[in-house]
Amino acid sequence: MFCFQCEQTAGCTGCTGKAGVCGKSADVAGLQDKLTGALIGLARAASGNTPSPSTHQAMIEGLFTTITNVNFNEETIRQQIENVTREKNSLIPGCGGCAQPCGRTEDYNMGLLWNADEDIRSLKSLILFGLRGMAAYAYHAMVLGYSDEEVNTFFYEGMFAIGEDLNMEQLLPIVMKVGEINLKCMALLDQANTESYGDPVPVTVPLTVEKGPFIVISGHDLKDLQLLLEQTEGKGINIYTNGEMLPAHAYPKLKAYPHLKGNLGTAWHNQQKEFADIPAPVLFTTNCLMPPKASYADRVFTTEVVSYPGVIHIGEDKDFTPVIEKALELGGYPEDREFTGINGGKTVTTGFARNTVLSAAGTIVNAVKGGALKHIFLVGGCDGARKGRSYYTDFVKQTPADTAVLTLACGKYRFNDLDLGTIGGLPRIMDMGQCNDAYSAIRAALALADAFDCGVNDLPLTLVLSWYEQKAVCILLTLLHLGIRNIYLGPTLPAFLSPGVLDFLVKNYGIRPTTTPEQDLKEILG
């Protein structure tokens, strides 16, 4: 196998041999490559033809399936390949029986990409991994009934390009277009979430689990949470979020359910420890799944494209009865159980999305002009297990009292239970939501730039980002598309960035690898 799409990849170069660091076997990794090659074949077949909604779904689900920590199941990946092949054949009926095949609709051999010139491999990887991340956002919007034709069409355009013999000058505009289209995709998902569940509002979320039966729900998909809340209503079962599901508490139509009680656990990579002995089932709705330990594997359930061998999967009917029955069987804790965040805090806050921040724009502008607020940091992104990620905790702890920290995605669990006080009536740490809520941060930054009559790069604003998987890739490309410079990126640089491509990003966008909190803060604040 060969895989280097995530931050934890072996030796910061690539996973090879029998298994990846994430727990995927070489066979699963091979099937994911085969699925990706089939998706490129689908994109080839779509050239000059009109894909149907089911073709769009096959493309989006197929790409989402190949994100890190989503699918570890050979059987379900084979089903995805069959589905993609079926959609391809519907676009070009009879093509497979051609006596003299032209090769223009064949599936792609991913070995050609992994063994390509390092700069070409790097740029094509940025396209591929960015499309995988964007597909996750398109999928979440799709299940809520929202889609965008320009977004759907670009998946074929981008995947087609990966299979072509293109040079750097031809690939670079496509890389940047991934960022452009991902901005539209995040806007689409923002619309889907807010029109379905209301605009997020600030809320304090307890980390205490009340006595009695409960279910933990992890991932990103708000629709699954809504359905679970509906099906558990009146059954004496409490619901607790985990990981990227935490921001769900801020949506008015979801927080209206009284049995949505709080949050259990921290970021995804702590699940094998945090779920080891809880007397409750855990439902995984999207990526973030790690191979379950034997101590709790019988309490794990998956849905959507998430899949693991031997784990009960909730299908398209969305009947969560097995999860509910398991919760009642296990019974929960006999008494309230108090948990804390990584830093000992007993509550966390969330819900500082674009509307909340924009409503305070005048206060923020006056605080900056008056000198009370000297700088704003956006510290967030994907969390991971490397020891170097303590950088983000230390960085936030060391930010001066006259600065504010915006955050989003699961990287916030490194510090979101800290109490750093307030500034201008707002908490110094403000959680804007999930990774896709980078859209909120972008909207807020653009509005502040308008208020100050300057460019975004002229604001007293610095982005300090942690990356782990492919959604971080498409967000970074969106920021670069918008011309945002001097982004601090860590804890390590992506293995798929060749020296030549990295040099291009540094020279043209000022990408900066993180060093130490002390050194970076000194550089930022002068």
Side-chain angles (χ1 to χ4, degrees), residues 83-237:
N83 188 36
V84 170
T85 301
R86 184 167 55 250
E87 289 297 328
K88 184 177 80 169
N89 291 339
S90 72
L91 289 172
I92 45 170
C95 182
C98 181
Q100 293 182 320
C102 63
R104 299 306 302 152
T105 61
E106 289 182 356
D107 293 353
Y108 181 70
N109 176 6
M110 293 297 289
L112 297 174
L113 173 56
W114 306 142
N115 293 293
D117 167 84
E118 65 174 1
D119 289 335
I120 300 300
R121 181 178 74 165
S122 185
L123 292 174
K124 286 189 175 183
S125 293
L126 278 168
I127 295 169
L128 174 60
F129 302 156
L131 289 174
R132 286 176 175 176
M134 189 170 78
Y137 300 146
Y139 182 91
H140 298 320
M142 181 175 67
V143 298
L144 288 172
Y146 290 72
S147 65
D148 181 282
E149 194 59 30
E150 185 177 9
V151 171
N152 291 339
T153 298
F154 182 68
F155 284 118
Y156 302 96
E157 180 184 334
M159 293 299 285
F160 184 90
I162 293 168
E164 294 296 287
D165 184 16
L166 304 177
N167 59 35
M168 288 187 68
E169 288 70 27
Q170 293 169 310
L171 289 169
L172 276 168
I174 303 171
V175 170
M176 290 299 109
K177 192 171 180 180
V178 174
E180 175 189 353
I181 302 300
N182 182 60
L183 180 62
K184 295 179 182 293
C185 190
M186 289 195 297
L188 177 70
L189 180 53
D190 179 86
Q191 177 189 8
N193 286 338
T194 55
E195 290 185 356
S196 299
Y197 304 113
D199 287 311
V201 294
V203 60
T204 298
V205 182
L207 303 182
T208 295
V209 176
E210 297 180 12
K211 67 178 181 181
F214 67 96
I215 296 170
V216 178
I217 181 168
S218 189
H220 304 71
D221 204 290
L222 300 182
K223 179 67 173 180
D224 284 325
L225 174 59
Q226 175 198 342
L227 295 174
L228 182 64
L229 288 167
E230 290 174 353
Q231 293 180 36
T232 51
E233 198 166 17
K235 289 184 167 62
I237 299 174

Side-chain angles (χ1 to χ4, degrees), residues 405-485:
V405 177
L406 302 176
T407 188
L408 47 78
C410 65
K412 61 176 165 270
Y413 281 106
R414 292 278 170 175
F415 50 81
N416 68 337
D417 63 320
L418 290 171
D419 182 3
L420 298 186
T422 62
I423 186 167
L426 295 170
R428 283 192 54 224
I429 297 178
M430 290 176 278
D431 175 20
M432 304 191 81
Q434 297 179 344
C435 53
N436 55 280
D437 291 312
Y439 178 73
S440 277
I442 290 168
R443 286 282 301 274
L446 294 174
L448 289 174
D450 287 341
F452 281 106
D453 192 24
C454 67
V456 173
N457 293 313
D458 299 316
L459 288 171
L461 169 69
T462 301
L463 279 61
V464 183
L465 305 181
S466 56
W467 84 281
Y468 174 75
E469 43 92 319
Q470 297 76 64
K471 285 181 285 185
V473 176
C474 63
I475 291 172
L476 177 63
L477 293 179
T478 293
L479 296 173
L480 299 184
H481 156 71
L482 292 169
I484 296 176
R485 296 180 54 83

Side-chain angles (χ1 to χ4, degrees), residues 359-376:
S359 68
T363 301
I364 294 171
V365 170
N366 290 334
V368 172
K369 289 182 176 179
L373 177 59
K374 296 290 179 61
H375 208 85
I376 301 171

Side-chain angles (χ1 to χ4, degrees), residues 232-416:
T232 51
E233 198 166 17
K235 289 184 167 62
I237 299 174
N238 291 328
I239 307 300
Y240 293 86
T241 56
N242 171 263
E244 282 275 63
M245 197 63 82
L246 168 65
H249 291 273
Y251 288 90
K253 290 185 180 179
L254 296 175
K255 71 192 295 286
Y257 287 90
H259 59 302
L260 178 59
K261 290 289 186 177
N263 191 74
L264 185 148
T266 53
W268 64 272
H269 61 92
N270 293 318
Q271 66 190 254
Q272 292 178 331
K273 175 179 63 177
E274 293 175 341
F275 297 161
D277 57 3
I278 61 170
V282 182
L283 174 64
F284 285 90
T285 65
T286 59
N287 60 303
C288 300
L289 175 67
M290 295 178 73
K293 297 287 189 180
S295 61
Y296 67 93
D298 65 327
R299 293 180 271 119
V300 171
F301 297 81
T302 60
T303 191
E304 305 293 355
V305 297
V306 188
S307 186
Y308 194 87
V311 167
I312 295 175
H313 187 79
I314 306 300
E316 294 181 2
D317 63 355
K318 293 298 181 182
D319 182 357
F320 292 117
T321 298
V323 190
I324 293 169
E325 290 177 344
K326 179 61 73 171
L328 294 172
E329 173 194 332
L330 293 170
Y333 294 110
E335 301 294 337
D336 291 359
R337 183 75 173 266
E338 188 176 86
F339 292 90
T340 65
I342 288 176
N343 302 287
K346 297 180 181 180
T347 63
V348 293
T349 59
T350 190
F352 292 89
R354 57 185 171 85
N355 278 10
T356 299
V357 175
L358 292 177
S359 68
T363 301
I364 294 171
V365 170
N366 290 334
V368 172
K369 289 182 176 179
L373 177 59
K374 296 290 179 61
H375 208 85
I376 301 171
F377 298 97
L378 174 61
V379 185
C382 310
D383 199 13
R386 288 190 193 275
K387 291 182 180 180
R389 288 182 179 269
S390 60
Y391 165 96
Y392 297 94
T393 309
D394 297 336
F395 185 97
V396 170
K397 284 182 177 180
Q398 294 178 37
T399 54
D402 56 2
T403 64
V405 177
L406 302 176
T407 188
L408 47 78
C410 65
K412 61 176 165 270
Y413 281 106
R414 292 278 170 175
F415 50 81
N416 68 337

